[in-house]
Amino acid sequence: MTAHLAIYGCQQNQADGDRLRGMLLAMGYTMTDDRAGADLVVLVTCAVRKHAETRLLGHLGTYLHKGKPGRKVVLCGCMAQREEVRELLRKRYKQVSLSFGPADLGRFPEYLRRLMTEGGRHIITSPDTAPIEEGLPIARLIDPEINRANVTIMTGCDNYCSYCVVPYVRGRERSRAPEAVLEEVRGLVEDGVGEIWLIGQNVNSYKPDFPDLLRACASFEGNYQLRFMTSHPRDAGRRLFEAMASSPRIAPVLHLPAQSGSNAVLKAMNRGYTREDYLEKIRLAKETIENLTLSGDVIVGFPGETEQDFLDTLSLLEEVRFAKLFTFQYSARAGTPAAELTETLSPGEMKERFMRLLEVQKRIEEELGG
Ligand code: SF4
């Protein structure tokens, strides 16, 4: 039996994909790139923006016509955790035989066996939160050119930023035991992996302690470098920056999503810090970590964002001077508090601000020599 795995979205989905690939191989499947010819297609989906969902649902349509008779389509990941999507799958996308949410990752073999023995359709409502299952087989596709691997250290998020669906699809924060993470990192170092990413929705709230975990992961003999994603500015601080400066095995690279430079917008986003707090963290990081490379995220067009709020965001870029910036136009996500707010910009106005932001960032990157 052959299986095709298609992974959309973030590094956490990539890491979940590595486990799904491991479980498929352990069940005797052969992986194939041939989506049409596969006996089983597994889609690991992303729900962070409306566009991601619409695109995936568009792709699903192509699975209806082309493909091997009897082929089974499985949809998992964040979209499968949204009731709105499950309703669509039940009513419209009959080509999907099985769907389950991120917290049920470890139950995939059980669900697949049930599908293969009972047939029918299984649109499963998974729990929002469940302990991260240890011991699942992992099969990574490590590109020798990049030689990099992702290691999940925690999942879920308790921050409830007003625009974000992650807490509703990935559940409350839960962390893996330090021993399990260290064992996985040690194995990758021994396998000669050069770049190891410690990942989670908010690595800084890793329990018991992220700076300690980072130092411990940097203590193995070997030629490797550690990176991590994603940090929340409220939880990142002196202990993290000192840990980053403590070893050449920890890359002096910090991704710290700002989202906005306006205190009014940061408050409406429920980000939990002010512009001044954010700039103070950046100042401390630059002071503590030599040759620091900074990257960030910014959302343009949040409901209620005035021209002055937007100018505050542009001036924040001028002050921080990110080497790289991930930029987004606000996308209302059903079920989030922000989706109840009235959008104040037309699509044209949103685009205009977005282009002005890109221009400023492009100039800064050129000045930094990027
Ligand atoms: S910190 Fe905010 S934006 Fe990031 S995953 Fe959590 S709720 Fe979403």
Side-chain angles (χ1 to χ4, degrees):
M1 295 275 275
T2 58
H4 173 78
L5 184 61
I7 305 168
Y8 300 82
C10 67
Q11 286 169 279
Q12 187 101 61
N13 269 7
Q14 298 295 336
D16 287 355
D18 293 337
R19 283 173 169 71
L20 288 161
R21 190 179 300 107
M23 289 185 269
L24 285 163
L25 292 169
M27 286 188 276
Y29 281 88
T30 303
M31 303 309 294
T32 175
D33 292 335
D34 175 9
R35 189 172 74 167
D39 297 293
L40 178 70
V41 170
V42 180
L43 306 169
V44 187
T45 64
C46 169
V48 79
R49 257 168 281 286
K50 185 85 188 130
H51 168 70
E53 279 195 356
T54 318
R55 195 167 60 116
L56 193 283
L57 291 170
H59 277 181
L60 264 184
T62 66
Y63 285 82
L64 198 55
H65 309 299
K66 301 195 206 93
K68 197 171 182 175
R71 176 184 59 184
K72 300 285 186 215
V73 177
V74 175
L75 186 143
C76 59
C78 294
M79 276 179 69
Q81 197 55 19
R82 294 181 6 90
E83 181 49 33
E84 193 187 332
V85 171
R86 286 195 293 268
E87 236 354 69
L88 274 176
L89 297 180
R90 289 187 195 103
K91 295 212 172 90
R92 268 179 61 194
Y93 296 92
K94 309 276 183 195
Q95 64 274 44
V96 174
S97 309
L98 168 64
S99 85
F100 57 92
D104 264 349
L105 187 72
R107 299 188 68 183
F108 171 53
E110 171 202 335
Y111 291 152
L112 189 59
R113 263 190 288 276
R114 197 193 301 171
L115 173 65
M116 294 307 188
T117 50
E118 298 171 12
R121 305 184 62 220
H122 305 260
I123 306 302
I124 291 164
T125 303
S126 299
D128 280 342
T129 300
I132 300 177
E133 202 161 332
E134 290 298 345
L136 296 178
I138 303 179
R140 294 182 171 91
L141 290 183
I142 297 185
D143 175 340
E145 299 294 309
I146 306 172
N147 196 15
R148 137 191 190 162
N150 296 317
V151 174
T152 297
I153 65 168
M154 59 83 67
T155 190
C157 189
D158 294 352
N159 288 321
Y160 289 90
C161 300
S162 63
Y163 53 84
C164 184
V165 289
V166 171
Y168 308 97
V169 291
R170 287 245 171 216
R172 304 305 299 242
E173 288 169 0
R174 57 264 193 222
S175 300
R176 296 178 64 198
E179 306 71 43
V181 174
L182 288 170
E183 200 43 44
E184 200 171 324
V185 171
R186 178 208 305 277
L188 291 168
V189 173
E190 282 165 7
D191 292 347
V193 174
E195 194 178 279
I196 299 170
W197 286 71
L198 306 179
I199 58 167
Q201 268 73 40
N202 183 7
V203 292
N204 302 114
S205 54
Y206 172 83
K207 300 285 177 295
D209 186 84
F210 182 58
D212 286 351
L213 180 76
L214 195 53
R215 288 174 188 269
C217 287
S219 66
F220 301 119
E221 283 312 310
N223 180 20
Y224 67 103
Q225 224 182 25
L226 289 168
R227 297 186 181 219
F228 55 88
M229 201 161 195
T230 298
S231 290
H232 191 285
R234 192 189 42 219
D235 309 319
R238 182 179 293 284
R239 290 194 60 251
L240 172 66
F241 305 150
E242 287 172 350
M244 291 177 71
S246 71
S247 166
R249 290 204 185 96
I250 303 171
V253 177
L254 178 65
H255 181 70
L256 209 58
Q259 305 304 14
S260 175
S262 149
N263 284 338
V265 174
L266 288 170
K267 191 158 190 303
M269 286 177 165
N270 188 34
R271 287 292 287 171
Y273 55 84
T274 63
R275 173 195 176 91
E276 293 73 23
D277 298 336
Y278 185 85
L279 289 172
E280 173 50 23
K281 293 277 167 86
I282 294 292
R283 186 198 62 73
L284 188 58
K286 285 180 176 176
E287 182 188 279
T288 313
I289 307 161
E290 254 180 76
N291 306 322
L292 176 66
T293 299
L294 277 168
S295 64
D297 295 352
V298 160
I299 296 174
V300 168
F302 188 81
E305 181 190 76
T306 64
E307 175 63 14
Q308 185 51 54
D309 293 327
F310 177 64
L311 292 174
D312 291 345
T313 297
L314 294 185
S315 67
L316 183 103
L317 300 195
E318 301 285 5
E319 280 201 53
V320 176
R321 300 179 69 73
F322 292 106
K324 188 158 182 38
L325 191 68
F326 298 89
T327 53
F328 308 95
Q329 297 184 39
Y330 172 72
S331 160
R333 303 305 289 120
T336 63
E340 307 308 314
L341 302 173
T342 311
E343 293 199 37
T344 45
L345 293 185
S346 69
E349 288 166 328
M350 177 102 82
K351 187 83 190 288
E352 187 265 344
R353 279 191 189 166
F354 190 65
M355 298 317 288
R356 283 161 62 195
L357 180 95
L358 293 186
E359 228 168 86
V360 169
Q361 180 56 25
K362 185 163 168 282
R363 173 179 45 76
I364 290 170
E365 286 182 24
E366 280 160 7
E367 289 165 1
L368 290 171

PDB file of all heavy atoms in Angstrom, residues 157 159-161 163-164 166-167 201 232 271, ligand 1:
ATOM      1  N   CYS A 157      -1.281  26.884  23.199  1.00  0.00           N
ATOM      2  CA  CYS A 157      -0.984  28.254  23.617  1.00  0.00           C
ATOM      3  C   CYS A 157      -2.062  28.790  24.551  1.00  0.00           C
ATOM      4  O   CYS A 157      -3.250  28.602  24.289  1.00  0.00           O
ATOM      5  CB  CYS A 157      -0.891  29.175  22.397  1.00  0.00           C
ATOM      6  SG  CYS A 157      -0.282  30.791  22.844  1.00  0.00           S
ATOM      7  N   ASN A 159      -2.116  32.075  25.402  1.00  0.00           N
ATOM      8  CA  ASN A 159      -2.083  33.539  25.311  1.00  0.00           C
ATOM      9  C   ASN A 159      -3.368  34.156  24.776  1.00  0.00           C
ATOM     10  O   ASN A 159      -3.685  35.293  25.089  1.00  0.00           O
ATOM     11  CB  ASN A 159      -0.905  33.990  24.456  1.00  0.00           C
ATOM     12  CG  ASN A 159       0.395  33.790  25.191  1.00  0.00           C
ATOM     13  OD1 ASN A 159       0.475  34.007  26.380  1.00  0.00           O
ATOM     14  ND2 ASN A 159       1.408  33.338  24.481  1.00  0.00           N
ATOM     15  N   TYR A 160      -4.088  33.439  23.971  1.00  0.00           N
ATOM     16  CA  TYR A 160      -5.372  33.922  23.447  1.00  0.00           C
ATOM     17  C   TYR A 160      -5.288  35.320  22.861  1.00  0.00           C
ATOM     18  O   TYR A 160      -6.067  36.212  23.217  1.00  0.00           O
ATOM     19  CB  TYR A 160      -6.464  33.833  24.521  1.00  0.00           C
ATOM     20  CG  TYR A 160      -6.855  32.410  24.803  1.00  0.00           C
ATOM     21  CD1 TYR A 160      -6.215  31.671  25.781  1.00  0.00           C
ATOM     22  CD2 TYR A 160      -7.836  31.774  24.036  1.00  0.00           C
ATOM     23  CE1 TYR A 160      -6.530  30.336  26.003  1.00  0.00           C
ATOM     24  CE2 TYR A 160      -8.164  30.442  24.245  1.00  0.00           C
ATOM     25  CZ  TYR A 160      -7.513  29.725  25.230  1.00  0.00           C
ATOM     26  OH  TYR A 160      -7.823  28.413  25.432  1.00  0.00           O
ATOM     27  N   CYS A 161      -4.315  35.548  21.967  1.00  0.00           N
ATOM     28  CA  CYS A 161      -4.307  36.807  21.233  1.00  0.00           C
ATOM     29  C   CYS A 161      -5.642  36.873  20.499  1.00  0.00           C
ATOM     30  O   CYS A 161      -6.102  35.874  19.958  1.00  0.00           O
ATOM     31  CB  CYS A 161      -3.138  36.853  20.266  1.00  0.00           C
ATOM     32  SG  CYS A 161      -1.559  36.709  21.116  1.00  0.00           S
ATOM     33  N   TYR A 163      -6.873  37.710  17.761  1.00  0.00           N
ATOM     34  CA  TYR A 163      -7.060  37.397  16.333  1.00  0.00           C
ATOM     35  C   TYR A 163      -6.701  35.946  16.002  1.00  0.00           C
ATOM     36  O   TYR A 163      -6.866  35.515  14.855  1.00  0.00           O
ATOM     37  CB  TYR A 163      -6.135  38.300  15.496  1.00  0.00           C
ATOM     38  CG  TYR A 163      -4.694  38.230  15.950  1.00  0.00           C
ATOM     39  CD1 TYR A 163      -3.847  37.221  15.494  1.00  0.00           C
ATOM     40  CD2 TYR A 163      -4.194  39.145  16.877  1.00  0.00           C
ATOM     41  CE1 TYR A 163      -2.541  37.131  15.949  1.00  0.00           C
ATOM     42  CE2 TYR A 163      -2.887  39.067  17.327  1.00  0.00           C
ATOM     43  CZ  TYR A 163      -2.075  38.056  16.850  1.00  0.00           C
ATOM     44  OH  TYR A 163      -0.787  37.958  17.313  1.00  0.00           O
ATOM     45  N   CYS A 164      -6.241  35.181  16.977  1.00  0.00           N
ATOM     46  CA  CYS A 164      -5.572  33.920  16.671  1.00  0.00           C
ATOM     47  C   CYS A 164      -6.417  32.684  16.973  1.00  0.00           C
ATOM     48  O   CYS A 164      -7.027  32.577  18.018  1.00  0.00           O
ATOM     49  CB  CYS A 164      -4.274  33.832  17.477  1.00  0.00           C
ATOM     50  SG  CYS A 164      -3.308  32.369  17.086  1.00  0.00           S
ATOM     51  N   VAL A 166      -5.072  29.589  17.075  1.00  0.00           N
ATOM     52  CA  VAL A 166      -4.220  28.507  17.585  1.00  0.00           C
ATOM     53  C   VAL A 166      -4.697  27.928  18.916  1.00  0.00           C
ATOM     54  O   VAL A 166      -4.799  26.704  19.066  1.00  0.00           O
ATOM     55  CB  VAL A 166      -2.747  28.950  17.644  1.00  0.00           C
ATOM     56  CG1 VAL A 166      -1.902  27.927  18.375  1.00  0.00           C
ATOM     57  CG2 VAL A 166      -2.207  29.189  16.240  1.00  0.00           C
ATOM     58  N   PRO A 167      -5.029  28.757  19.926  1.00  0.00           N
ATOM     59  CA  PRO A 167      -5.468  28.159  21.193  1.00  0.00           C
ATOM     60  C   PRO A 167      -6.726  27.293  21.038  1.00  0.00           C
ATOM     61  O   PRO A 167      -6.935  26.356  21.799  1.00  0.00           O
ATOM     62  CB  PRO A 167      -5.757  29.381  22.074  1.00  0.00           C
ATOM     63  CG  PRO A 167      -4.915  30.452  21.498  1.00  0.00           C
ATOM     64  CD  PRO A 167      -4.927  30.214  20.020  1.00  0.00           C
ATOM     65  N   GLN A 201       4.377  26.621  19.822  1.00  0.00           N
ATOM     66  CA  GLN A 201       3.667  27.874  19.589  1.00  0.00           C
ATOM     67  C   GLN A 201       4.248  28.992  20.449  1.00  0.00           C
ATOM     68  O   GLN A 201       4.266  30.142  20.060  1.00  0.00           O
ATOM     69  CB  GLN A 201       2.184  27.720  19.917  1.00  0.00           C
ATOM     70  CG  GLN A 201       1.327  27.318  18.742  1.00  0.00           C
ATOM     71  CD  GLN A 201       1.553  25.842  18.371  1.00  0.00           C
ATOM     72  OE1 GLN A 201       1.687  25.010  19.250  1.00  0.00           O
ATOM     73  NE2 GLN A 201       1.600  25.548  17.092  1.00  0.00           N
ATOM     74  N   HIS A 232       7.294  34.473  22.502  1.00  0.00           N
ATOM     75  CA  HIS A 232       6.337  35.552  22.771  1.00  0.00           C
ATOM     76  C   HIS A 232       7.074  36.629  23.542  1.00  0.00           C
ATOM     77  O   HIS A 232       7.715  36.332  24.564  1.00  0.00           O
ATOM     78  CB  HIS A 232       5.151  35.045  23.591  1.00  0.00           C
ATOM     79  CG  HIS A 232       4.037  36.042  23.665  1.00  0.00           C
ATOM     80  ND1 HIS A 232       4.110  37.167  24.456  1.00  0.00           N
ATOM     81  CD2 HIS A 232       2.848  36.094  23.040  1.00  0.00           C
ATOM     82  CE1 HIS A 232       2.994  37.862  24.320  1.00  0.00           C
ATOM     83  NE2 HIS A 232       2.217  37.241  23.461  1.00  0.00           N
ATOM     84  N   ARG A 271      -2.104  41.288  23.289  1.00  0.00           N
ATOM     85  CA  ARG A 271      -0.727  40.762  23.209  1.00  0.00           C
ATOM     86  C   ARG A 271      -0.028  40.757  24.563  1.00  0.00           C
ATOM     87  O   ARG A 271       0.991  40.092  24.740  1.00  0.00           O
ATOM     88  CB  ARG A 271       0.080  41.564  22.190  1.00  0.00           C
ATOM     89  CG  ARG A 271      -0.287  41.303  20.743  1.00  0.00           C
ATOM     90  CD  ARG A 271       0.098  39.895  20.283  1.00  0.00           C
ATOM     91  NE  ARG A 271       1.537  39.750  20.107  1.00  0.00           N
ATOM     92  CZ  ARG A 271       2.128  38.558  19.873  1.00  0.00           C
ATOM     93  NH1 ARG A 271       1.394  37.452  19.829  1.00  0.00           N
ATOM     94  NH2 ARG A 271       3.442  38.467  19.733  1.00  0.00           N
TER      95      ARG A 271
HETATM   96  S1  SF4 B   1       0.998  33.701  21.131  1.00  0.00           S
HETATM   97 FE1  SF4 B   1      -0.872  34.568  20.288  1.00  0.00          FE
HETATM   98  S2  SF4 B   1      -0.495  34.557  18.072  1.00  0.00           S
HETATM   99 FE2  SF4 B   1       0.956  33.136  18.974  1.00  0.00          FE
HETATM  100  S3  SF4 B   1      -0.026  31.142  18.891  1.00  0.00           S
HETATM  101 FE3  SF4 B   1      -0.477  32.027  20.903  1.00  0.00          FE
HETATM  102  S4  SF4 B   1      -2.464  33.033  20.661  1.00  0.00           S
HETATM  103 FE4  SF4 B   1      -1.606  32.677  18.609  1.00  0.00          FE
END
